[in-house]
Amino acid sequence: MARAKRPAVLLLALLMAALAACGDARQVKEDETVNQTRDTAAEPDARQMPDWAESAVMYEVNIRQYTKEGTFRAFADHLPRLKEMGVDILWFMPIHPISEKNRLGTLGSYYAVRNYKAVNPEFGTAEDFRELVNKAHDMGFKVILDWVANHTGWDNPWIDNTDWYTTDDSGRIVHPPGTNWQDVADLNYGNPDMRAAMIDAMKYWVEEFDVDGFRADYAGGVPTDFWETARAELETIKPVFMLAEDDAQISLLRRAFDANYGWELYHLMNGLARGQRKPEQVALYAKRLEKKYPAGTFPLHFTSNHDENSWTGTEYERLGGAVKAMAALTFTVPGMPLIYSGQEAGLNKRLQFFEKDEIPWDDLSLQSFYRDLIRLKHDNPALRNGAAGGAFQALEADDPNILAFARTKEDNTVLVVMNLSDGSVQGSVRTAMSAGTYRSFPQEDEIEIGDRLAVELDPWEYRIFVK
């Protein structure tokens, strides 16, 4: 989600500054769980991720900024291009009408929902969206909707039910506590009628439009038991994929969600690009995932998304010359990779959040880069998501700026060697049990790798080998 700023920005500034000496601070989330100890137990459960998500790559669609028209129909013209690129899941930012009361900017925030069962008329009609979903399905895509369950806009019809919202001591409805989101009203999850209405609205889009799941905005701001109930009811209609915008409450992954946000790697990559972090921290992160996440679940990894692009900076601002290396990292470490609208066109501007600000599509030079990474993901079982993929095996390198790792699933191994620094490196990697005959990616040259692999890498250069 996004508003004028991330929540509690002013309060966080001092904390971020204090942590800067230790490297890039992990983003502090916007609810009262910030100071709680993370729950790291990895309990299995009966919920099962849909088979189609095992090797999937997600693509976030910003309808407003995608085309000059900013409509479902105009976006549909891009489906063949995205299909050729290899995208599997289309995540649509909120498609609902945006509240006018307390609106921010000219067009308002997508996350100030005026009506959960309607379509933003700026994007088209409900029938236009149905046709888009049907076309996407016919082409093999899955479709998930961005769902805003923590709050509504101030002119949502629900606002007449005061007890459906959080109120102050004088009985006045309030915006979400601990945030500066003045354009939205905080929902009261102690009210069973509101909960039932929210689940009914979610089921509406699955039953009437055949959507395949949801990305839950500010998931940690809603009780876990609500999400678990919602997931169970949605599963009575069809198997769904659920993504939580959260990385603090691992309990959300036990019975409600298949994936959450990989903010830790995101901030680690930003720190690497600034020379404030070391490659070994990536290996430590990957190993923590194995102990922290419930069986079959995983993080969504990204170098950009709608929030980060608009409020933190473009990937080029944050990563500089490391853009391609970090993108490759998100496709090869355990987890599902995300591509944000325009990244394949080298999007190098912050899109305005509350105004029309079209993505330029005149240069698609990075489309083949992402197509290759998606092909790598699809073709190698070792890189599948969750328990379907291979475990992360860190490999010893004699230069601290080299990150080397392998992932193996049955007879398939992917070996990755990266120079995660702005200087050239020369060294070797101890490949040990990963030795064998490989093909370089994407060139497909055959190479024999023994117990040690000698490498010379330019700044931010990486090599990928497949066996």
Side-chain angles (χ1 to χ4, degrees):
M1 73 174 52
R3 299 295 180 267
K5 285 284 185 181
R6 282 269 184 198
V9 167
L10 294 178
L11 293 176
L12 291 177
L14 293 176
L15 175 61
M16 296 293 280
L19 291 172
C22 300
D24 186 31
R26 176 193 163 274
Q27 177 164 342
V28 181
K29 288 305 293 167
E30 52 263 89
D31 58 68
E32 67 268 18
T33 65
V34 166
N35 294 316
Q36 294 178 0
T37 301
R38 286 180 180 231
D39 181 357
T40 59
E43 295 181 357
D45 58 65
R47 175 203 35 75
Q48 186 173 3
M49 177 180 69
D51 291 342
W52 49 259
E54 282 190 353
S55 60
V57 173
M58 187 177 293
Y59 186 94
E60 182 184 5
V61 181
N62 186 333
I63 287 289
R64 175 188 289 170
Q65 315 297 22
Y66 213 90
T67 61
K68 179 179 180 180
E69 300 85 354
T71 63
F72 298 129
R73 288 183 177 272
F75 170 73
D77 292 338
H78 286 259
L79 288 178
R81 178 180 64 80
L82 295 174
K83 182 64 179 178
E84 192 273 337
M85 199 163 74
V87 169
D88 302 291
I89 302 174
L90 299 172
W91 151 25
F92 287 90
M93 291 175 67
I95 64 168
H96 311 296
I98 296 170
S99 289
E100 295 182 7
K101 185 177 180 180
N102 297 335
R103 173 175 286 195
L104 297 175
T106 305
L107 300 177
S109 169
Y110 315 81
Y111 296 87
V113 176
R114 188 173 185 177
N115 187 334
Y116 284 112
K117 288 188 176 182
V119 163
N120 187 341
E122 298 170 29
F123 299 164
T125 66
E127 188 56 36
D128 290 339
F129 182 67
R130 180 177 284 107
E131 290 178 5
L132 175 58
V133 174
N134 290 340
K135 184 175 182 178
H137 281 164
D138 289 344
M139 296 177 69
F141 295 102
K142 298 298 180 180
V143 174
I144 68 172
L145 284 185
D146 212 326
W147 196 258
V148 189
N150 173 260
H151 48 263
T152 74
W154 288 96
D155 50 11
N156 189 300
W158 289 9
I159 209 79
D160 293 333
N161 303 310
T162 305
D163 55 350
W164 284 25
Y165 290 82
T166 305
T167 56
D168 60 19
D169 292 340
S170 62
R172 293 176 297 189
I173 296 173
V174 299
H175 69 272
T179 78
N180 62 352
W181 303 337
Q182 301 289 340
D183 62 332
V184 291
D186 193 62
L187 286 165
N188 172 23
Y189 274 82
N191 187 294
D193 293 332
M194 188 282 292
R195 285 185 173 225
M198 185 66 74
I199 291 176
D200 176 69
M202 295 179 74
K203 291 170 68 174
Y204 170 79
W205 292 98
V206 179
E207 292 174 331
E208 299 298 324
F209 294 83
D210 200 25
V211 302
D212 302 292
F214 297 91
R215 176 265 187 188
D217 179 70
Y218 189 20
V222 174
T224 300
D225 70 293
F226 167 80
W227 291 122
E228 292 175 348
T229 301
R231 176 67 182 261
E233 294 207 25
L234 293 170
E235 290 285 341
T236 65
I237 306 170
K238 64 184 290 188
V240 292
F241 180 81
M242 298 288 288
L243 166 66
E245 189 206 15
D246 180 88
D247 74 338
Q249 300 186 51
I250 294 299
S251 60
L252 289 168
L253 297 173
R254 293 206 183 112
R255 298 178 182 84
F257 292 93
D258 302 290
N260 67 359
Y261 261 39
W263 265 307
E264 186 174 350
L265 181 64
Y266 167 80
H267 287 283
L268 180 52
M269 290 187 291
N270 289 340
L272 284 163
R274 292 196 294 267
Q276 297 172 338
R277 296 292 185 93
K278 293 297 182 182
E280 64 180 355
Q281 293 173 278
V282 177
L284 293 172
Y285 165 75
K287 297 307 291 184
R288 284 197 299 273
L289 296 182
E290 296 179 12
K291 298 179 180 179
K292 175 179 174 182
Y293 278 66
T297 65
F298 48 85
L300 179 79
H301 288 137
F302 48 86
T303 57
S304 188
N305 61 36
H306 66 276
D307 274 332
E308 307 308 333
N309 169 271
S310 292
W311 305 116
T312 308
T314 72
E315 59 192 308
Y316 299 95
E317 289 179 73
R318 293 177 287 100
L319 302 176
V323 165
K324 286 189 175 182
M326 299 309 177
L329 187 60
T330 66
F331 273 80
T332 51
V333 295
M336 179 183 288
L338 172 74
I339 301 170
Y340 178 48
S341 296
Q343 283 194 277
E344 71 272 37
L347 179 63
N348 194 13
K349 71 171 181 176
R350 300 189 186 196
L351 298 175
Q352 295 184 64
F353 207 85
F354 310 120
E355 312 293 337
K356 178 67 176 175
D357 192 7
E358 184 183 348
I359 296 169
W361 294 105
D362 52 323
D363 179 7
L364 286 169
S365 58
L366 286 179
Q367 184 159 295
S368 60
F369 167 74
Y370 281 106
R371 181 176 61 241
D372 285 342
L373 286 178
I374 293 173
R375 175 168 59 87
L376 177 72
K377 179 84 173 178
H378 286 169
D379 291 351
N380 292 281
L383 299 183
R384 286 176 182 162
N385 303 319
F392 182 98
Q393 177 192 2
L395 302 178
E396 179 185 345
D398 57 14
D399 189 303
N401 289 317
I402 294 176
L403 171 69
F405 63 92
R407 294 181 64 192
T408 298
K409 186 72 174 183
E410 299 171 351
D411 60 351
N412 174 233
T413 296
V414 176
L415 192 155
V416 181
V417 182
M418 293 182 156
N419 173 13
L420 296 183
S421 76
D422 59 2
S424 298
V425 298
Q426 181 175 349
S428 66
V429 174
R430 183 176 176 82
T431 54
M433 297 299 291
S434 299
T437 302
Y438 287 79
R439 288 191 177 275
S440 62
F441 179 86
Q443 298 87 357
E444 298 293 335
D445 297 328
E446 189 171 289
I447 179 174
E448 195 70 28
I449 296 178
D451 289 341
R452 281 195 174 272
L453 173 66
V455 293
E456 293 185 21
L457 300 172
D458 291 332
W460 309 115
E461 185 180 3
Y462 61 90
R463 306 268 177 84
I464 298 174
F465 305 97
V466 176
K467 180 174 70 171

